Amino acid sequence: MSQLLVRGGGRLKGEVAVQGAKNSVLPILAATLLTADEVELRGCPRLRDVDASVRILRGLGCEAHWEGGNLLVKTGGLNAWSISDILMREMRSSAIFLGAILARCGQAELSYPGGCELGPRPIDLHLSGLRALGAEIGDAGGMLHCKAPELKGREVVLSLPSVGATENLMLAACGGSGVTTIANAAREPEIVDLQNFLRACGAKVYGAGTSTVTVEGKQPLHGCTYTIMPDRITAATYLCAAASAGGEIFLRGAREDHLATVTAVLREAGCSILADEAGIACTCQGRLQAVRPVRTAPYPGFPTDAQAILMAALLRSQGATVFEENIFENRYRHVDELTRMGANIRVSGRAAVVTGVETLHGAPVYCTDLRGGAALCVAALAAEGETTICEISHIDRGYEDLARDMRALGADAARIE
Ligand code: EPZ
């Protein structure tokens, strides 16, 4: 099993280009099913979750291959509409394929995506929205049997701004007759990227980034060449790494407008952050200060995906910071591992109180999930001695090569196969 070896104590100095966004490319890969023409995705990150999505596309009879950092997809050979249980279990966000398969094929079969490390990951909003558009969905024996001979546009109101449900309904609506309006839609930047991709293919989609997304269905869609937006959570990870270890870094291609709540908190903690069209520069000198309560919320609130990594950056801050995790039920699994490094964190329900300590010490620690694993790396940069991070396959789901990028930023980090 691969491991990440980090020797802490040194300040960071360096720059790195931010990879393409995982949570944008995954729904866009599903969206490629909406056209039989070739699609070229530029700046596509090489991630385990992208590999899993490529296996799903190939399992459906589609072609997909890499040319350098670009992924070329051709779905003209599509000859199936079911996703195997094994492939579904590899990546629970595979549910995002459902809307696109229904739009293209009029039917779909896939197993119920299980929960994950973060807790149960229901898809009731996806299914109720698709049924509202005319899909007949039965679940028997853990399988979803879906038929949608005629998807029809209408207004769908989401009871909460689910990212995945918004994306699934946008893709299904592209295959529906008439106009679909998604009310209380998620507003994440990845939704805007999906809209921009769909528009590049000739779709009529409006309102992404606001709470109301509108789709005029049945547009003839064609192929395109599309560049994936930069990954805001990867950028947040590297900013928190600089905050944790101290130093000065530059993140090429990072967009502060996608990260305003994260940069605001880091500035409050004492970091100096400057952003322009080329990227984000971050300088952190001296000990950080604790900050006002950090409450995770749907975009544009503080992103749940940055909770663990910010917590790791504040472990040696002056004072105490309260975190409130409002999106997922079980997103403090990294706390026990951080405590093994000397952190002082008290968890009670959705709240976690981080009291700054003078010193962290390196230790063997285990990744519990994707962002929890990244948090261990952020903490290790500030710890005295060596930290061995195990089970880093979790990290590989969302980061192309964390050790490579950390070294580019001046850290003493290496991947051990
Ligand atoms: C997306 O997950 C992201 N994943 C997550 O990133 C991210 O944490 C999350 O959005 C919130 O921003 C991808 O985009 C691939 P949701 P998603 O539907 O779509 C509940 C990472 O680390 N819910 O907005 O699954 C759900 O249980 C990952 O990159 C329902 O109850 O998130 C959760 O509590 C982790 N019923 C809340 O809504 C539903 O039908 C938000 O979920 C759907 C969701």
Side-chain angles (χ1 to χ4, degrees):
M1 297 286 273
S2 304
Q3 296 175 334
L4 194 53
L5 194 59
V6 178
R7 288 187 188 83
R11 291 168 57 77
L12 298 189
K13 184 166 179 53
E15 75 172 72
V16 71
V18 176
Q19 69 185 42
K22 167 179 87 80
N23 292 348
S24 175
V25 72
L26 296 182
I28 286 176
L29 282 169
T32 62
L33 291 170
L34 297 175
T35 174
D37 293 352
E38 180 169 87
V39 166
E40 179 178 353
L41 299 179
R42 292 187 171 166
C44 188
R46 285 179 175 263
L47 307 170
R48 281 186 61 218
D49 277 6
V50 170
D51 294 341
S53 296
V54 166
R55 280 193 288 277
I56 288 173
L57 287 170
R58 288 174 178 158
L60 294 171
C62 305
E63 297 167 43
H65 69 277
W66 291 92
E67 285 185 2
N70 305 328
L71 182 63
L72 278 72
V73 179
K74 201 163 166 49
T75 73
L78 183 98
N79 59 18
W81 54 78
S82 61
I83 301 177
S84 73
D85 184 53
I86 293 172
L87 284 175
M88 281 301 292
R89 288 182 182 281
E90 265 194 58
M91 181 180 68
R92 71 145 309 276
S93 50
S94 313
I96 191 58
F97 279 87
L98 179 53
I101 296 174
L102 286 177
R104 175 76 177 267
C105 305
Q107 55 188 334
E109 281 212 355
L110 43 91
S111 61
Y112 234 104
C116 74
E117 308 86 3
L118 307 183
R121 301 290 293 275
I123 58 167
D124 56 303
L125 300 180
H126 300 234
L127 302 184
S128 56
L130 292 170
R131 286 185 174 113
L133 298 182
E136 298 156 25
I137 301 175
D139 50 31
M143 289 296 289
L144 289 171
H145 307 276
C146 313
K147 287 203 180 305
E150 175 64 40
L151 288 167
K152 286 188 181 152
R154 54 168 289 178
E155 181 180 57
V156 180
V157 182
L158 293 176
S159 57
L160 57 85
S162 155
V163 172
T166 301
E167 293 164 343
N168 238 333
L169 293 175
M170 286 167 70
L171 299 182
C174 285
S177 56
V179 176
T180 296
T181 303
I182 305 167
N184 195 25
R187 297 165 52 190
E188 273 71 1
E190 292 78 15
I191 307 277
V192 178
D193 217 30
L194 178 61
Q195 170 178 280
N196 292 341
F197 170 79
L198 291 169
R199 281 179 171 170
C201 293
K204 291 188 176 179
V205 190
Y206 320 98
T210 74
S211 295
T212 304
V213 176
T214 302
V215 178
E216 290 179 31
K218 292 283 188 209
Q219 302 301 314
L221 301 189
H222 49 72
C224 72
T225 296
Y226 189 78
T227 300
I228 304 295
M229 67 175 246
D231 193 310
R232 60 192 172 101
I233 305 303
T234 300
T237 305
Y238 299 162
L239 292 174
C240 287
S244 175
E248 48 192 277
I249 64 169
F250 182 70
L251 304 182
R252 220 169 29 256
R255 288 183 50 176
E256 190 182 12
D257 59 325
H258 291 169
L259 275 176
T261 51
V262 176
T263 52
V265 172
L266 289 174
R267 286 190 177 102
E268 185 188 343
C271 298
S272 164
I273 295 174
L274 294 173
D276 60 22
E277 66 287 339
I280 301 177
C282 177
T283 302
C284 307
Q285 312 280 6
R287 191 172 185 188
L288 297 180
Q289 295 302 312
V291 296
R292 286 176 301 228
V294 177
R295 298 181 180 87
T296 65
Y299 194 90
F302 188 90
T304 175
D305 294 348
Q307 175 255 108
I309 53 181
L310 176 67
M311 182 184 284
L314 294 176
L315 295 178
R316 292 194 309 154
S317 61
Q318 183 85 29
T321 298
V322 176
F323 284 81
E324 198 175 288
E325 174 52 58
N326 298 309
I327 305 295
F328 291 110
E329 287 180 11
N330 191 22
R331 203 164 199 175
Y332 287 133
R333 300 180 69 224
H334 48 280
V335 167
D336 288 347
E337 296 303 301
L338 293 174
T339 304
R340 286 166 53 84
M341 299 171 71
N344 179 346
I345 308 170
R346 294 285 175 276
V347 174
S348 173
R350 288 191 173 275
V353 181
V354 177
T355 304
V357 295
E358 293 286 332
T359 311
L360 294 171
H361 45 81
V365 289
Y366 283 75
C367 295
T368 52
D369 54 80
L370 165 56
R371 307 302 175 184
L376 297 179
C377 180
V378 168
L381 296 171
E384 291 183 355
E386 194 170 86
T387 298
T388 305
I389 302 173
C390 306
E391 296 187 356
I392 59 174
S393 60
H394 288 284
I395 296 178
D396 294 340
R397 284 190 45 223
Y399 297 85
E400 277 190 330
D401 186 339
L402 190 57
R404 174 200 68 193
D405 288 355
M406 286 298 170
R407 281 200 303 277
L409 295 174
D412 183 347
R415 184 188 184 99
I416 309 165
E417 297 301 343

